[in-house]
Amino acid sequence: QVQLVESGGGLVQAGGSLRLSCADSRSTLIIKTMGWYRQAPGKQRELVATITSGISGISTSYADSVKGRFTISRESAENTMYLQMNNLKPEDTAVYYCKGTLGAREYWGQGTQVTVSS
């Protein structure tokens, strides 16, 4: 089983930075694909960034709205993932969730609140 736990959210002023973490406290299997999603009040959950570990190395992808400001990374050989968020904007305010895909199953964390004040 996989249990993902996020941390690192908080309140920050526009232009500031936060670093989110996501760790799996149970599984001994390596999750190949992990990602960060966010959901703002009244909006659908949206993809922020993904990171995939494969034979040829690590690949990442980002939503256009965060490119150049956010960086996703992970620890090698562990189900621990990070999201470095720089130059935060009020529109980045949301609950941020991490997701791991292991086989045919998806696992979600409980979410961490990020609030960016203008």
Short mmCIF file of all heavy atoms in Angstrom, two decimals, residues 7-74:
data_model
loop_
_atom_site.label_atom_id
_atom_site.label_comp_id
_atom_site.label_asym_id
_atom_site.label_seq_id
_atom_site.Cartn_x
_atom_site.Cartn_y
_atom_site.Cartn_z
N SER A 7 3.48 18.18 2.74
CA SER A 7 3.82 19.18 3.76
C SER A 7 4.45 20.38 3.07
O SER A 7 4.83 20.29 1.90
CB SER A 7 4.78 18.60 4.81
OG SER A 7 5.99 18.19 4.20
N GLY A 8 4.54 21.48 3.80
CA GLY A 8 5.23 22.65 3.28
C GLY A 8 4.36 23.79 2.83
O GLY A 8 4.86 24.84 2.44
N GLY A 9 3.05 23.61 2.87
CA GLY A 9 2.17 24.70 2.48
C GLY A 9 2.18 25.82 3.50
O GLY A 9 2.76 25.69 4.59
N GLY A 10 1.54 26.92 3.14
CA GLY A 10 1.47 28.04 4.07
C GLY A 10 1.03 29.31 3.38
O GLY A 10 0.53 29.28 2.25
N LEU A 11 1.21 30.42 4.09
CA LEU A 11 0.85 31.75 3.59
C LEU A 11 2.11 32.49 3.20
O LEU A 11 3.08 32.55 3.99
CB LEU A 11 0.09 32.51 4.68
CG LEU A 11 -0.23 33.98 4.40
CD1 LEU A 11 -1.18 34.10 3.21
CD2 LEU A 11 -0.84 34.64 5.63
N VAL A 12 2.11 33.05 2.01
CA VAL A 12 3.28 33.77 1.53
C VAL A 12 2.82 34.97 0.71
O VAL A 12 1.72 34.95 0.12
CB VAL A 12 4.17 32.84 0.69
CG1 VAL A 12 3.47 32.38 -0.58
CG2 VAL A 12 5.51 33.47 0.36
N GLN A 13 3.63 36.01 0.68
CA GLN A 13 3.30 37.17 -0.14
C GLN A 13 3.64 36.92 -1.60
O GLN A 13 4.51 36.09 -1.91
CB GLN A 13 4.06 38.40 0.36
CG GLN A 13 3.57 38.94 1.70
CD GLN A 13 4.23 40.25 2.07
OE1 GLN A 13 5.36 40.52 1.67
NE2 GLN A 13 3.53 41.06 2.84
N ALA A 14 2.98 37.62 -2.46
CA ALA A 14 3.27 37.51 -3.89
C ALA A 14 4.74 37.79 -4.14
O ALA A 14 5.33 38.71 -3.55
CB ALA A 14 2.40 38.48 -4.68
N GLY A 15 5.33 36.96 -5.00
CA GLY A 15 6.76 37.07 -5.26
C GLY A 15 7.61 36.18 -4.38
O GLY A 15 8.81 36.01 -4.64
N GLY A 16 7.01 35.61 -3.36
CA GLY A 16 7.74 34.74 -2.45
C GLY A 16 7.86 33.32 -2.96
O GLY A 16 7.44 33.00 -4.08
N SER A 17 8.42 32.47 -2.10
CA SER A 17 8.68 31.08 -2.47
C SER A 17 8.20 30.13 -1.38
O SER A 17 8.16 30.48 -0.20
CB SER A 17 10.18 30.85 -2.69
OG SER A 17 10.69 31.65 -3.73
N LEU A 18 7.85 28.93 -1.81
CA LEU A 18 7.54 27.83 -0.90
C LEU A 18 8.07 26.54 -1.51
O LEU A 18 8.17 26.43 -2.74
CB LEU A 18 6.02 27.69 -0.69
CG LEU A 18 5.33 28.67 0.25
CD1 LEU A 18 3.81 28.43 0.19
CD2 LEU A 18 5.82 28.53 1.68
N ARG A 19 8.35 25.58 -0.66
CA ARG A 19 8.76 24.26 -1.13
C ARG A 19 7.84 23.22 -0.52
O ARG A 19 7.80 23.06 0.70
CB ARG A 19 10.20 23.95 -0.74
CG ARG A 19 10.74 22.68 -1.39
CD ARG A 19 12.07 22.29 -0.78
NE ARG A 19 12.78 21.31 -1.58
CZ ARG A 19 13.63 20.42 -1.07
NH1 ARG A 19 13.86 20.40 0.23
NH2 ARG A 19 14.25 19.56 -1.86
N LEU A 20 7.13 22.52 -1.38
CA LEU A 20 6.25 21.45 -0.94
C LEU A 20 6.98 20.11 -0.99
O LEU A 20 7.81 19.90 -1.87
CB LEU A 20 4.99 21.38 -1.81
CG LEU A 20 4.17 22.66 -1.95
CD1 LEU A 20 2.93 22.38 -2.79
CD2 LEU A 20 3.78 23.21 -0.60
N SER A 21 6.63 19.24 -0.06
CA SER A 21 7.18 17.89 -0.04
C SER A 21 6.05 16.88 -0.04
O SER A 21 4.96 17.14 0.49
CB SER A 21 8.05 17.68 1.20
OG SER A 21 9.13 18.58 1.25
N CYS A 22 6.32 15.73 -0.60
CA CYS A 22 5.37 14.62 -0.62
C CYS A 22 6.17 13.35 -0.35
O CYS A 22 7.12 13.06 -1.08
CB CYS A 22 4.66 14.54 -1.95
SG CYS A 22 3.63 13.06 -2.17
N ALA A 23 5.77 12.62 0.67
CA ALA A 23 6.50 11.40 1.02
C ALA A 23 5.53 10.24 1.20
O ALA A 23 4.42 10.41 1.69
CB ALA A 23 7.30 11.62 2.30
N ASP A 24 5.98 9.08 0.82
CA ASP A 24 5.22 7.84 0.98
C ASP A 24 5.77 7.11 2.20
O ASP A 24 6.95 6.75 2.22
CB ASP A 24 5.35 6.99 -0.27
CG ASP A 24 4.81 5.59 -0.10
OD1 ASP A 24 3.96 5.38 0.80
OD2 ASP A 24 5.23 4.70 -0.85
N SER A 25 4.92 6.90 3.16
CA SER A 25 5.39 6.33 4.43
C SER A 25 5.24 4.82 4.53
O SER A 25 5.63 4.22 5.52
CB SER A 25 4.63 6.98 5.59
OG SER A 25 3.25 6.72 5.46
N ARG A 26 4.70 4.19 3.47
CA ARG A 26 4.40 2.76 3.61
C ARG A 26 5.04 1.87 2.56
O ARG A 26 5.54 0.80 2.88
CB ARG A 26 2.89 2.55 3.54
CG ARG A 26 2.14 3.06 4.74
CD ARG A 26 0.69 2.66 4.66
NE ARG A 26 -0.07 3.09 5.81
CZ ARG A 26 -1.37 2.89 5.96
NH1 ARG A 26 -2.05 2.26 5.01
NH2 ARG A 26 -2.00 3.30 7.02
N SER A 27 4.99 2.29 1.30
CA SER A 27 5.33 1.35 0.25
C SER A 27 6.82 1.09 0.14
O SER A 27 7.63 1.98 0.36
CB SER A 27 4.81 1.87 -1.10
OG SER A 27 5.19 1.00 -2.13
N THR A 28 7.16 -0.13 -0.20
CA THR A 28 8.55 -0.46 -0.50
C THR A 28 8.78 -0.51 -2.01
O THR A 28 9.90 -0.76 -2.45
CB THR A 28 8.93 -1.81 0.12
OG1 THR A 28 8.05 -2.82 -0.40
CG2 THR A 28 8.81 -1.77 1.62
N LEU A 29 7.70 -0.29 -2.78
CA LEU A 29 7.82 -0.26 -4.23
C LEU A 29 8.05 1.16 -4.70
O LEU A 29 7.51 2.11 -4.12
CB LEU A 29 6.54 -0.82 -4.87
CG LEU A 29 6.18 -2.26 -4.50
CD1 LEU A 29 4.84 -2.64 -5.10
CD2 LEU A 29 7.25 -3.22 -4.96
N ILE A 30 8.80 1.33 -5.75
CA ILE A 30 9.08 2.66 -6.28
C ILE A 30 7.96 3.08 -7.22
O ILE A 30 7.62 2.34 -8.16
CB ILE A 30 10.42 2.71 -7.01
CG1 ILE A 30 11.56 2.39 -6.03
CG2 ILE A 30 10.64 4.08 -7.65
CD1 ILE A 30 11.68 3.36 -4.89
N ILE A 31 7.39 4.24 -6.96
CA ILE A 31 6.36 4.79 -7.82
C ILE A 31 7.02 5.47 -9.00
O ILE A 31 7.80 6.41 -8.82
CB ILE A 31 5.48 5.80 -7.06
CG1 ILE A 31 4.80 5.11 -5.88
CG2 ILE A 31 4.45 6.42 -7.98
CD1 ILE A 31 4.04 6.07 -4.99
N LYS A 32 6.72 4.99 -10.20
CA LYS A 32 7.40 5.50 -11.38
C LYS A 32 6.98 6.92 -11.71
O LYS A 32 7.80 7.77 -12.00
CB LYS A 32 7.10 4.59 -12.58
CG LYS A 32 7.75 5.03 -13.87
CD LYS A 32 7.42 4.07 -14.99
CE LYS A 32 8.04 4.52 -16.30
NZ LYS A 32 7.71 3.61 -17.41
N THR A 33 5.68 7.19 -11.66
CA THR A 33 5.17 8.51 -12.03
C THR A 33 4.49 9.16 -10.83
O THR A 33 3.59 8.59 -10.22
CB THR A 33 4.15 8.40 -13.16
OG1 THR A 33 4.80 7.85 -14.31
CG2 THR A 33 3.60 9.78 -13.52
N MET A 34 4.94 10.37 -10.51
CA MET A 34 4.35 11.15 -9.44
C MET A 34 4.03 12.53 -9.98
O MET A 34 4.63 12.98 -10.97
CB MET A 34 5.29 11.24 -8.23
CG MET A 34 5.70 9.90 -7.66
SD MET A 34 6.73 10.03 -6.19
CE MET A 34 5.51 10.53 -4.96
N GLY A 35 3.09 13.20 -9.33
CA GLY A 35 2.72 14.51 -9.83
C GLY A 35 2.12 15.40 -8.75
O GLY A 35 1.70 14.91 -7.69
N TRP A 36 2.11 16.67 -9.04
CA TRP A 36 1.45 17.66 -8.19
C TRP A 36 0.23 18.21 -8.92
O TRP A 36 0.30 18.52 -10.12
CB TRP A 36 2.40 18.81 -7.87
CG TRP A 36 3.47 18.45 -6.91
CD1 TRP A 36 4.76 18.13 -7.19
CD2 TRP A 36 3.36 18.39 -5.48
NE1 TRP A 36 5.45 17.85 -6.04
CE2 TRP A 36 4.61 18.00 -4.98
CE3 TRP A 36 2.31 18.61 -4.58
CZ2 TRP A 36 4.86 17.85 -3.61
CZ3 TRP A 36 2.55 18.45 -3.23
CH2 TRP A 36 3.81 18.07 -2.75
N TYR A 37 -0.86 18.32 -8.20
CA TYR A 37 -2.09 18.89 -8.70
C TYR A 37 -2.54 19.97 -7.72
O TYR A 37 -2.09 19.99 -6.56
CB TYR A 37 -3.19 17.81 -8.82
CG TYR A 37 -2.92 16.78 -9.88
CD1 TYR A 37 -1.93 15.82 -9.71
CD2 TYR A 37 -3.66 16.77 -11.06
CE1 TYR A 37 -1.68 14.88 -10.70
CE2 TYR A 37 -3.42 15.82 -12.04
CZ TYR A 37 -2.42 14.88 -11.86
OH TYR A 37 -2.17 13.95 -12.83
N ARG A 38 -3.43 20.84 -8.17
CA ARG A 38 -3.96 21.85 -7.26
C ARG A 38 -5.42 22.11 -7.57
O ARG A 38 -5.88 21.91 -8.69
CB ARG A 38 -3.16 23.14 -7.34
CG ARG A 38 -3.26 23.87 -8.67
CD ARG A 38 -2.31 25.07 -8.68
NE ARG A 38 -2.39 25.82 -9.93
CZ ARG A 38 -1.58 26.82 -10.25
NH1 ARG A 38 -0.63 27.21 -9.40
NH2 ARG A 38 -1.75 27.46 -11.40
N GLN A 39 -6.13 22.55 -6.53
CA GLN A 39 -7.54 22.87 -6.70
C GLN A 39 -7.84 24.14 -5.93
O GLN A 39 -7.69 24.20 -4.71
CB GLN A 39 -8.42 21.73 -6.19
CG GLN A 39 -9.89 21.93 -6.48
CD GLN A 39 -10.70 20.67 -6.28
OE1 GLN A 39 -10.27 19.73 -5.62
NE2 GLN A 39 -11.88 20.63 -6.87
N ALA A 40 -8.24 25.15 -6.70
CA ALA A 40 -8.63 26.43 -6.10
C ALA A 40 -10.13 26.39 -5.81
O ALA A 40 -10.87 25.62 -6.42
CB ALA A 40 -8.30 27.55 -7.07
N PRO A 41 -10.59 27.24 -4.89
CA PRO A 41 -12.02 27.25 -4.56
C PRO A 41 -12.89 27.48 -5.79
O PRO A 41 -12.63 28.41 -6.57
CB PRO A 41 -12.13 28.42 -3.57
CG PRO A 41 -10.78 28.52 -2.97
CD PRO A 41 -9.82 28.16 -4.06
N GLY A 42 -13.87 26.63 -5.97
CA GLY A 42 -14.79 26.78 -7.08
C GLY A 42 -14.26 26.32 -8.42
O GLY A 42 -14.92 26.50 -9.45
N LYS A 43 -13.06 25.75 -8.43
CA LYS A 43 -12.46 25.31 -9.69
C LYS A 43 -12.16 23.82 -9.64
O LYS A 43 -12.09 23.22 -8.58
CB LYS A 43 -11.19 26.11 -9.98
CG LYS A 43 -11.42 27.58 -10.22
CD LYS A 43 -10.13 28.26 -10.66
CE LYS A 43 -10.36 29.73 -10.98
NZ LYS A 43 -9.11 30.40 -11.42
N GLN A 44 -11.97 23.26 -10.82
CA GLN A 44 -11.62 21.85 -10.90
C GLN A 44 -10.14 21.65 -10.55
O GLN A 44 -9.32 22.56 -10.70
CB GLN A 44 -11.89 21.32 -12.32
CG GLN A 44 -13.36 21.22 -12.67
CD GLN A 44 -13.58 20.54 -14.00
OE1 GLN A 44 -12.72 20.56 -14.88
NE2 GLN A 44 -14.74 19.93 -14.18
N ARG A 45 -9.83 20.46 -10.11
CA ARG A 45 -8.45 20.12 -9.83
C ARG A 45 -7.67 20.12 -11.15
O ARG A 45 -8.13 19.58 -12.16
CB ARG A 45 -8.36 18.75 -9.16
CG ARG A 45 -7.00 18.41 -8.59
CD ARG A 45 -7.04 17.14 -7.77
NE ARG A 45 -7.91 17.28 -6.60
CZ ARG A 45 -7.99 16.36 -5.63
NH1 ARG A 45 -7.27 15.25 -5.70
NH2 ARG A 45 -8.81 16.54 -4.62
N GLU A 46 -6.47 20.70 -11.12
CA GLU A 46 -5.68 20.79 -12.34
C GLU A 46 -4.27 20.28 -12.10
O GLU A 46 -3.74 20.35 -10.99
CB GLU A 46 -5.63 22.24 -12.85
CG GLU A 46 -4.94 23.21 -11.91
CD GLU A 46 -4.82 24.61 -12.50
OE1 GLU A 46 -5.30 24.85 -13.62
OE2 GLU A 46 -4.22 25.47 -11.83
N LEU A 47 -3.68 19.80 -13.18
CA LEU A 47 -2.31 19.31 -13.13
C LEU A 47 -1.34 20.48 -13.05
O LEU A 47 -1.47 21.46 -13.77
CB LEU A 47 -2.02 18.48 -14.38
CG LEU A 47 -0.59 18.00 -14.57
CD1 LEU A 47 -0.22 17.00 -13.49
CD2 LEU A 47 -0.43 17.39 -15.96
N VAL A 48 -0.36 20.35 -12.16
CA VAL A 48 0.69 21.37 -12.04
C VAL A 48 1.98 20.87 -12.67
O VAL A 48 2.58 21.56 -13.51
CB VAL A 48 0.93 21.71 -10.55
CG1 VAL A 48 2.09 22.69 -10.42
CG2 VAL A 48 -0.33 22.28 -9.92
N ALA A 49 2.42 19.68 -12.28
CA ALA A 49 3.68 19.15 -12.79
C ALA A 49 3.73 17.65 -12.54
O ALA A 49 3.12 17.15 -11.60
CB ALA A 49 4.87 19.83 -12.14
N THR A 50 4.47 16.95 -13.40
CA THR A 50 4.67 15.52 -13.21
C THR A 50 6.14 15.18 -13.34
O THR A 50 6.90 15.91 -14.00
CB THR A 50 3.89 14.67 -14.23
OG1 THR A 50 4.37 14.97 -15.55
CG2 THR A 50 2.40 14.95 -14.16
N ILE A 51 6.52 14.08 -12.74
CA ILE A 51 7.89 13.59 -12.85
C ILE A 51 7.84 12.08 -12.98
O ILE A 51 7.15 11.40 -12.22
CB ILE A 51 8.75 14.04 -11.65
CG1 ILE A 51 10.21 13.63 -11.84
CG2 ILE A 51 8.20 13.53 -10.32
CD1 ILE A 51 11.15 14.37 -10.89
N THR A 52 8.56 11.57 -13.97
CA THR A 52 8.55 10.14 -14.25
C THR A 52 9.98 9.61 -14.25
O THR A 52 10.85 10.20 -14.90
CB THR A 52 7.90 9.87 -15.61
OG1 THR A 52 6.56 10.34 -15.60
CG2 THR A 52 7.90 8.37 -15.93
N SER A 53 10.17 8.54 -13.54
CA SER A 53 11.49 7.89 -13.49
C SER A 53 11.45 6.67 -14.39
O SER A 53 10.61 5.78 -14.21
CB SER A 53 11.81 7.47 -12.06
OG SER A 53 11.85 8.59 -11.22
N GLY A 54 12.37 6.63 -15.35
CA GLY A 54 12.42 5.51 -16.27
C GLY A 54 13.84 5.03 -16.48
O GLY A 54 14.78 5.55 -15.88
N ILE A 55 13.95 4.05 -17.35
CA ILE A 55 15.27 3.46 -17.62
C ILE A 55 16.22 4.51 -18.17
O ILE A 55 17.42 4.53 -17.87
CB ILE A 55 15.12 2.29 -18.60
CG1 ILE A 55 14.30 1.17 -17.95
CG2 ILE A 55 16.49 1.77 -19.02
CD1 ILE A 55 14.01 0.02 -18.88
N SER A 56 15.69 5.42 -18.99
CA SER A 56 16.54 6.41 -19.64
C SER A 56 16.75 7.65 -18.78
O SER A 56 17.43 8.59 -19.19
CB SER A 56 15.93 6.82 -20.98
OG SER A 56 14.64 7.32 -20.80
N GLY A 57 16.15 7.67 -17.61
CA GLY A 57 16.34 8.81 -16.74
C GLY A 57 15.03 9.39 -16.25
O GLY A 57 14.01 8.71 -16.24
N ILE A 58 15.05 10.64 -15.85
CA ILE A 58 13.88 11.30 -15.29
C ILE A 58 13.35 12.32 -16.28
O ILE A 58 14.12 13.09 -16.88
CB ILE A 58 14.23 11.98 -13.96
CG1 ILE A 58 14.56 10.93 -12.90
CG2 ILE A 58 13.07 12.87 -13.49
CD1 ILE A 58 14.97 11.50 -11.58
N SER A 59 12.04 12.34 -16.45
CA SER A 59 11.41 13.34 -17.31
C SER A 59 10.39 14.12 -16.50
O SER A 59 9.76 13.58 -15.58
CB SER A 59 10.75 12.69 -18.51
OG SER A 59 9.72 11.80 -18.10
N THR A 60 10.24 15.39 -16.83
CA THR A 60 9.29 16.26 -16.13
C THR A 60 8.42 16.99 -17.12
O THR A 60 8.79 17.17 -18.29
CB THR A 60 10.04 17.29 -15.26
OG1 THR A 60 10.88 18.09 -16.10
CG2 THR A 60 10.89 16.61 -14.20
N SER A 61 7.26 17.41 -16.64
CA SER A 61 6.38 18.24 -17.45
C SER A 61 5.68 19.23 -16.54
O SER A 61 5.50 18.96 -15.34
CB SER A 61 5.36 17.39 -18.21
OG SER A 61 4.48 16.74 -17.30
N TYR A 62 5.28 20.37 -17.10
CA TYR A 62 4.68 21.44 -16.31
C TYR A 62 3.48 22.05 -17.02
O TYR A 62 3.44 22.10 -18.26
CB TYR A 62 5.70 22.56 -16.07
CG TYR A 62 6.91 22.15 -15.27
CD1 TYR A 62 8.04 21.66 -15.90
CD2 TYR A 62 6.91 22.27 -13.88
CE1 TYR A 62 9.15 21.28 -15.17
CE2 TYR A 62 8.02 21.89 -13.14
CZ TYR A 62 9.13 21.40 -13.79
OH TYR A 62 10.24 21.02 -13.06
N ALA A 63 2.54 22.52 -16.24
CA ALA A 63 1.47 23.33 -16.80
C ALA A 63 2.07 24.65 -17.27
O ALA A 63 3.04 25.15 -16.68
CB ALA A 63 0.40 23.59 -15.74
N ASP A 64 1.51 25.21 -18.32
CA ASP A 64 2.04 26.46 -18.87
C ASP A 64 2.05 27.57 -17.82
O ASP A 64 2.95 28.41 -17.81
CB ASP A 64 1.20 26.89 -20.07
CG ASP A 64 1.44 26.03 -21.29
OD1 ASP A 64 2.46 25.31 -21.33
OD2 ASP A 64 0.60 26.06 -22.21
N SER A 65 1.08 27.56 -16.93
CA SER A 65 0.95 28.64 -15.97
C SER A 65 2.07 28.66 -14.93
O SER A 65 2.25 29.67 -14.25
CB SER A 65 -0.40 28.53 -15.25
OG SER A 65 -0.52 27.27 -14.59
N VAL A 66 2.80 27.56 -14.79
CA VAL A 66 3.86 27.51 -13.78
C VAL A 66 5.26 27.34 -14.37
O VAL A 66 6.25 27.35 -13.63
CB VAL A 66 3.60 26.39 -12.75
CG1 VAL A 66 2.20 26.53 -12.15
CG2 VAL A 66 3.77 25.00 -13.38
N LYS A 67 5.34 27.18 -15.67
CA LYS A 67 6.65 27.00 -16.30
C LYS A 67 7.56 28.17 -16.00
O LYS A 67 7.15 29.33 -16.08
CB LYS A 67 6.49 26.84 -17.82
CG LYS A 67 6.03 25.47 -18.26
CD LYS A 67 5.91 25.39 -19.77
CE LYS A 67 5.43 24.02 -20.22
NZ LYS A 67 5.24 23.95 -21.68
N GLY A 68 8.81 27.85 -15.64
CA GLY A 68 9.78 28.89 -15.33
C GLY A 68 9.71 29.37 -13.90
O GLY A 68 10.61 30.09 -13.44
N ARG A 69 8.66 28.98 -13.16
CA ARG A 69 8.54 29.40 -11.77
C ARG A 69 8.59 28.22 -10.80
O ARG A 69 9.09 28.34 -9.69
CB ARG A 69 7.21 30.15 -11.56
CG ARG A 69 7.07 31.41 -12.40
CD ARG A 69 5.83 32.20 -12.02
NE ARG A 69 4.59 31.46 -12.23
CZ ARG A 69 3.69 31.19 -11.28
NH1 ARG A 69 3.92 31.59 -10.03
NH2 ARG A 69 2.59 30.52 -11.56
N PHE A 70 8.04 27.09 -11.21
CA PHE A 70 7.99 25.90 -10.36
C PHE A 70 8.97 24.85 -10.87
O PHE A 70 9.19 24.72 -12.08
CB PHE A 70 6.60 25.29 -10.35
CG PHE A 70 5.53 26.11 -9.67
CD1 PHE A 70 5.75 27.41 -9.25
CD2 PHE A 70 4.28 25.56 -9.44
CE1 PHE A 70 4.78 28.16 -8.62
CE2 PHE A 70 3.28 26.28 -8.81
CZ PHE A 70 3.54 27.59 -8.41
N THR A 71 9.53 24.09 -9.94
CA THR A 71 10.42 22.99 -10.29
C THR A 71 10.04 21.75 -9.50
O THR A 71 9.98 21.79 -8.27
CB THR A 71 11.89 23.34 -10.00
OG1 THR A 71 12.25 24.52 -10.72
CG2 THR A 71 12.80 22.20 -10.44
N ILE A 72 9.78 20.67 -10.22
CA ILE A 72 9.45 19.40 -9.57
C ILE A 72 10.71 18.54 -9.52
O ILE A 72 11.52 18.55 -10.46
CB ILE A 72 8.31 18.68 -10.32
CG1 ILE A 72 7.81 17.47 -9.53
CG2 ILE A 72 8.72 18.29 -11.73
CD1 ILE A 72 6.54 16.86 -10.12
N SER A 73 10.88 17.81 -8.44
CA SER A 73 12.03 16.93 -8.31
C SER A 73 11.66 15.78 -7.38
O SER A 73 10.62 15.82 -6.72
CB SER A 73 13.25 17.69 -7.77
OG SER A 73 12.98 18.21 -6.48
N ARG A 74 12.52 14.78 -7.33
CA ARG A 74 12.27 13.65 -6.44
C ARG A 74 13.60 13.06 -5.99
O ARG A 74 14.64 13.25 -6.63
CB ARG A 74 11.42 12.59 -7.11
CG ARG A 74 12.09 11.88 -8.28
CD ARG A 74 11.17 10.81 -8.84
NE ARG A 74 10.90 9.75 -7.87
CZ ARG A 74 9.98 8.80 -8.05
NH1 ARG A 74 9.24 8.79 -9.16
NH2 ARG A 74 9.80 7.86 -7.13
#
